[in-house]
Amino acid sequence: MRLPTPAFAGLSLLTAAALLLFAAADSQAQPRRTANAAPTDEAPVIDGVVDDEMWKSAEVITDFIQAEPFQGERATENTEVWILYDDNNIYIGVICHDSDPSGIITTDARRDSSLDETDSFRVIFDTYRDRQNGFVFGTNPAGLEHDGQVSNEGEGAGGGGGRNRTQTGAGAGYNLNWDTSFRVATSTGDYGWSAEFAIPLRTLRYASTKPQVWGLNFQRNIRRKREEVFWSPVGRIFNLYRLSQAGDLQGLDLEAPRNFKVTPYALGGADRDYSTQDSADGTAEFGVDAKFGVTPAMNLDLTYNTDFAQVEVDAQQVNLTRFSLFFPEKRPFFLENAGYFQMGASQSVDLFFSRRIGIGPAGEVVPILGGGRLSGKVGRNNLGFLNMQTDGLPGVVSANNYTVASASREIGTRSSVSALFVNRQATGDLAGDDDWNRTVGVDGTLGVGQAFTMTGFAARTATPGLSGDEHAFRGRAEYQKKSGRVWLGYTEVGENFNPEVGFLNRDDYRNLDTGWFLNIRPDVSWLRELRPHVTYRGFWDFTGFKQTEDIHIDSHIDFENGAYFSPAFNHTVEGLTESFEIADGVIVQPGSYSNWELAWRWNTNVAAPFSYAGALDKGGFLSGNKTTVETTLNFRLQSKLITSAVWSYNDVDLTEGSFITNLAQVRVSYNFTPLIYLQAFIQYNDNIDSWSSNVRLNWLNTAGTGLFVVFNNTNGLGNELIGPQNRSFVVKYTHQFDILN
């Protein structure tokens, strides 16, 4: 159980040689498409019907090209797009012609819902034409409002992005939680469906030099055919965020309007902790956020008495490992412009993880007194600065000040360098003498053509009382074409590497990961694609002891009707140098455990009104065996009623003892309109002896603001916890004032 075996060392060398060979053979992209925007003195009526006279003055943008199912062929349905602009807005009109309008599929109407499994239309603007960062706006026939930010072509921290690996959320390449003020309306008819957008210029950042040229692309999904088409052709292994394959938008002669928005909130409610309180405590809060355009390319965001009562609670997880679980950031203030502050390997070595701010070690809510964020461009440089101050919780955590600073620069197409500094300093009466922590890091991306990518980072932390082995670094190379991909990565994390304002899944290790992935398109009418692959991950401590090994053998089977099956087999090794408690009274002893397991996954067509997904893991586990069964049932009534029920069952039988866990989660959403919806999230978890509910009514106005009514309830199941445990009711109203409009 030492360092990699000769076989895997040989595999790694072969992988590295293949990467270098493929990189040398890669060719450059085809010439870019261009489109033109037209000025207008009169704004079109945003009603979803593209029939106003001013649209005729704009160039018709058409000739979309398939990425799926037949890359490079013309779209089977015609799409026409027009772009206008005036001093305040950029306007988009689109007609999605359809030869069978009765076959149009609409799966959801809630703001920022996924547009992947529905008929939809999206546009991406690369306003600085750096070929890596952009703004996305989209909709579906129900008039859904969808907006987001793209950084690093959607790949997120650590690289390794692509069509099926694009990340969302904090530290990710696509930030869905960036919410801005824009209007969209749709209409349907015997021609298909159409949409009109009005996007305020002050919500975008772009160069003040004129005339401007932006990167541009459009994507349309025709879901019943599983067809994805783009205006500027994109390889099927990528997606809309692949800005290095986007076209150009010309004809823009834009002023750079200043931006100043103020968003106050008022909140009232009551909450009760049944373990310490005899009655509920009333609460009343007031706070405010502000956004000010310091320059046309730089925004200052300020927040006072920050509150996130409207955010959905975390989905619970059952941890059967000795490592930390990752829970994504959901708070809007921290998610906006999160790409400026991401560095490391996502969900394993994140140098900055914003959930460390305002959330205690056991999930306690720590008051955020206020803070600010400065982010944007200065010349060709991207700059970010964040400072937040939290209050203290006696007996839990002292008050803290957090500072994060970043600088990055794009160097050619698909290449960049960046630096990051993170500081936590305890403040106030509860602060200790040496209660601080710092992290510094640098990273880079090198893209060669469209297929070869190298990424890497190096970081160091400083913590009072720790010295030596405070480093972490990673290097990764990947070659990716439509026929498949191959990659090789190495990560090292020192024993004393301690990013307290980051996320570290595990420490004190060296990691090798590599694999081959093929994409095979057989000439079979009912089969879309086969994806056979083999991957390897190995972790060793610095003495050479093997901590973890995972050999994954699989072949994804993608059926033409949208169904999917993955019959995987895994060989796993877990090496323990000390015991750990996996469940109450079940303590796994030190040793090395080698096992085989099957890990199958499947689903029916997720765009259908009713769909089913399942998972089965069965085989050896540590000193015994484990059976895991997961079942998901989804039902929707058009785009009005959306429901999902998930049940996860673990039956673990070890030499040290046996146990069973059950986790059930039910989500129900009813959409009165795209901006008014009622959501319920119910969770049952016998592992922590509780069931809980989170019910939210959202009545939105613009940019994610509006009225929020939230009810939270947690009850014991009666084994250790009996009856109500926590209960809260909150009414919150927030409104955005556009001061300069």
Side-chain angles (χ1 to χ4, degrees):
M1 295 294 181
R2 296 292 169 179
L3 290 173
T5 64
F8 280 107
L11 174 62
S12 300
L13 290 173
L14 182 61
T15 301
L19 287 168
L20 293 174
L21 178 63
F22 291 149
D26 188 37
S27 60
Q28 296 299 311
Q30 297 298 313
R32 298 189 188 280
R33 284 190 165 190
T34 60
N36 290 284
T40 180
D41 294 326
E42 182 180 358
V45 177
I46 305 302
D47 58 6
V49 182
V50 191
D51 60 355
D52 293 309
E53 190 68 24
M54 65 283 300
W55 290 117
K56 297 179 181 178
S57 66
E59 171 188 286
V60 181
I61 305 167
T62 187
D63 295 328
F64 281 53
I65 303 298
Q66 291 186 46
E68 287 282 0
F70 303 113
Q71 180 177 324
E73 295 192 9
R74 295 176 63 89
T76 62
E77 306 287 352
N78 190 30
T79 306
E80 296 176 298
V81 185
W82 297 263
I83 299 179
L84 298 169
Y85 67 91
D86 57 23
D87 292 339
N88 299 310
N89 299 286
I90 190 163
Y91 305 97
I92 300 172
V94 55
I95 298 179
C96 298
H97 296 275
D98 200 308
S99 58
D100 181 16
S102 64
I104 292 174
I105 295 174
T106 306
T107 57
D108 208 336
R110 289 171 295 173
R111 195 183 210 278
D112 284 339
S113 294
S114 172
L115 295 176
D116 293 334
E117 303 298 337
T118 176
D119 279 70
S120 61
F121 175 83
R122 279 171 272 193
V123 57
I124 187 167
F125 292 125
D126 175 6
T127 55
Y128 287 101
R129 204 164 166 244
D130 57 27
R131 305 300 180 192
Q132 298 193 49
N133 308 293
F135 301 95
V136 174
F137 299 89
T139 192
N140 66 6
L144 177 156
E145 292 183 1
H146 182 104
D147 53 6
Q149 282 178 314
V150 171
S151 61
N152 192 28
E153 290 199 299
E155 294 188 0
R163 172 177 296 276
N164 297 318
R165 290 169 289 140
T166 299
Q167 307 162 56
T168 58
Y174 183 55
N175 182 5
L176 183 59
N177 293 275
W178 176 75
D179 287 327
T180 190
S181 302
F182 78 101
R183 290 179 292 145
V184 62
T186 59
S187 180
T188 58
D190 56 9
Y191 60 90
W193 67 284
S194 56
E196 292 178 308
F197 296 77
I199 302 167
L201 293 173
R202 60 169 45 91
T203 68
L204 306 173
R205 290 198 294 263
Y206 51 89
S208 57
T209 56
K210 296 190 293 184
Q212 294 95 344
V213 179
W214 294 358
L216 173 73
N217 210 350
F218 306 107
Q219 177 182 354
R220 179 186 174 187
N221 282 11
I222 308 169
R223 185 54 186 84
R224 72 178 181 280
K225 301 180 181 182
R226 296 187 64 202
E227 183 175 333
E228 298 177 11
V229 299
F230 296 84
W231 168 65
S232 182
V234 172
R236 69 176 181 233
I237 57 174
F238 302 120
N239 55 33
L240 183 68
Y241 316 146
R242 193 71 170 184
L243 284 163
S244 55
Q245 295 185 345
D248 287 335
L249 176 62
Q250 301 177 343
L252 296 170
D253 188 9
L254 303 173
E255 299 295 333
R258 302 299 289 270
N259 186 24
F260 186 23
K261 297 185 177 73
V262 177
T263 309
Y265 80 84
L267 177 152
D271 64 85
R272 179 181 175 185
D273 182 343
Y274 282 77
S275 64
T276 60
Q277 297 174 265
D278 294 328
S279 60
D281 287 338
T283 59
E285 296 284 349
F286 170 81
V288 63
D289 293 345
K291 182 185 293 290
F292 177 70
V294 180
T295 71
M298 181 76 69
N299 278 341
L300 174 65
D301 294 276
L302 300 173
T303 180
Y304 166 73
N305 198 24
T306 317
D307 175 80
F308 307 104
Q310 76 275 21
V311 175
E312 183 185 70
V313 299
D314 287 323
Q316 296 174 21
Q317 304 176 48
V318 175
N319 192 357
L320 298 180
T321 75
R322 59 196 189 278
F323 307 115
S324 301
L325 293 176
F326 181 87
F327 292 90
E329 177 65 271
K330 296 183 178 182
R331 298 171 297 176
F333 181 85
F334 292 110
L335 287 167
E336 183 173 354
N337 293 328
Y340 280 86
F341 306 106
Q342 66 187 43
M343 185 177 290
S346 182
Q347 301 187 25
S348 60
V349 189
D350 287 299
L351 303 191
F352 174 61
F353 184 44
S354 56
R355 278 183 67 112
R356 302 300 184 209
I357 303 174
I359 299 178
E364 305 93 344
V365 176
V366 178
I368 298 177
L369 300 179
R373 176 183 58 235
L374 186 68
S375 58
K377 273 187 176 287
V378 177
R380 294 175 56 193
N381 302 304
N382 304 299
L383 301 180
F385 181 83
L386 174 72
N387 186 269
M388 303 294 292
Q389 179 67 47
T390 62
D391 204 353
L393 285 180
V396 178
V397 66
S398 66
N400 277 280
N401 182 265
Y402 300 87
T403 299
V404 189
S406 71
S408 66
R409 183 167 183 155
E410 286 80 28
I411 303 174
T413 301
R414 301 184 55 241
S415 300
S416 63
V417 294
S418 61
L420 184 73
F421 171 77
V422 184
N423 182 73
R424 179 195 63 79
Q425 178 69 58
T427 60
D429 297 337
L430 300 177
D433 293 335
D434 288 315
D435 192 355
W436 55 268
N437 177 262
R438 295 187 185 112
T439 302
V440 294
V442 294
D443 76 354
T445 299
L446 173 65
V448 180
Q450 285 295 326
F452 184 71
T453 307
M454 294 184 65
T455 60
F457 79 89
R460 184 177 179 84
T461 61
T463 307
L466 297 178
S467 63
D469 295 327
E470 296 176 278
H471 69 281
F473 64 86
R474 173 174 171 80
R476 187 179 191 275
E478 180 177 41
Y479 181 83
Q480 183 173 212
K481 299 286 276 186
K482 71 177 182 179
S483 58
R485 58 188 173 99
V486 57
W487 70 93
L488 175 65
Y490 177 81
T491 306
E492 183 170 307
V493 176
E495 180 180 8
N496 291 324
F497 183 69
N498 181 37
E500 292 184 3
V501 197
F503 177 82
L504 196 61
N505 174 258
R506 60 200 294 171
D507 58 14
D508 188 24
Y509 69 85
R510 291 169 170 155
N511 162 241
L512 175 70
D513 66 276
T514 185
W516 297 78
F517 220 113
L518 297 179
N519 302 322
I520 301 172
R521 293 285 172 117
D523 187 15
V524 179
S525 62
W526 49 268
L527 188 60
R528 172 67 63 95
E529 188 171 73
L530 297 174
R531 294 188 287 273
H533 57 277
V534 177
T535 66
Y536 174 80
R537 296 185 311 127
F539 293 82
W540 298 263
D541 66 19
F542 285 82
T543 70
F545 179 75
K546 185 182 292 182
Q547 299 172 335
T548 300
E549 183 177 76
D550 179 14
I551 302 172
H552 175 75
I553 305 169
D554 193 5
S555 180
H556 299 166
I557 304 171
D558 185 4
F559 296 94
E560 187 62 33
N561 65 2
Y564 167 87
F565 180 49
S566 168
F569 290 89
N570 298 328
H571 180 261
T572 62
V573 174
E574 289 294 335
L576 277 62
T577 57
E578 58 184 33
S579 61
F580 82 100
E581 188 172 22
I582 191 172
D584 289 342
V586 181
I587 301 175
V588 182
Q589 298 303 306
S592 293
Y593 304 95
S594 177
N595 294 290
W596 280 93
E597 67 169 358
L598 63 83
W600 291 4
R601 306 289 184 269
W602 59 88
N603 62 256
T604 63
N605 180 11
V606 295
F610 176 82
S611 65
Y612 160 67
L616 172 65
D617 296 342
K618 187 174 181 61
F621 179 68
L622 296 173
S623 63
N625 296 282
K626 175 175 69 75
T627 299
T628 298
V629 179
E630 185 169 299
T631 298
T632 302
L633 300 176
N634 301 303
F635 173 75
R636 65 175 176 82
L637 184 61
Q638 298 177 336
S639 60
K640 289 290 186 181
L641 178 66
I642 316 294
T643 66
S644 174
V646 181
W647 172 58
S648 180
Y649 167 85
N650 289 292
D651 184 351
V652 182
D653 183 12
L654 305 178
T655 301
E656 297 85 355
S658 303
F659 62 95
I660 292 174
T661 70
N662 289 277
L663 174 61
Q665 297 169 324
V666 177
R667 298 177 188 267
V668 179
S669 175
Y670 187 81
N671 305 320
F672 300 96
T673 74
L675 297 178
I676 305 173
Y677 44 89
L678 179 66
Q679 296 174 294
F681 183 25
I682 300 170
Q683 302 187 83
Y684 169 98
N685 189 343
D686 63 6
N687 191 49
I688 59 174
D689 196 40
S690 74
W691 72 272
S692 62
S693 58
N694 170 229
V695 181
R696 300 177 299 147
L697 174 65
N698 293 3
W699 193 316
L700 302 181
N701 181 17
T702 185
T705 64
L707 175 68
F708 306 92
V709 181
V710 183
F711 174 72
N712 291 309
N713 180 56
T714 301
N715 278 56
L717 297 177
N719 297 318
E720 297 179 5
L721 304 176
I722 301 175
Q725 302 298 306
N726 300 93
R727 192 167 290 168
S728 66
F729 179 77
V730 173
V731 178
K732 178 179 179 179
Y733 181 74
T734 179
H735 186 82
Q736 184 179 92
F737 295 93
D738 192 341
I739 304 300
L740 299 180
N741 187 9

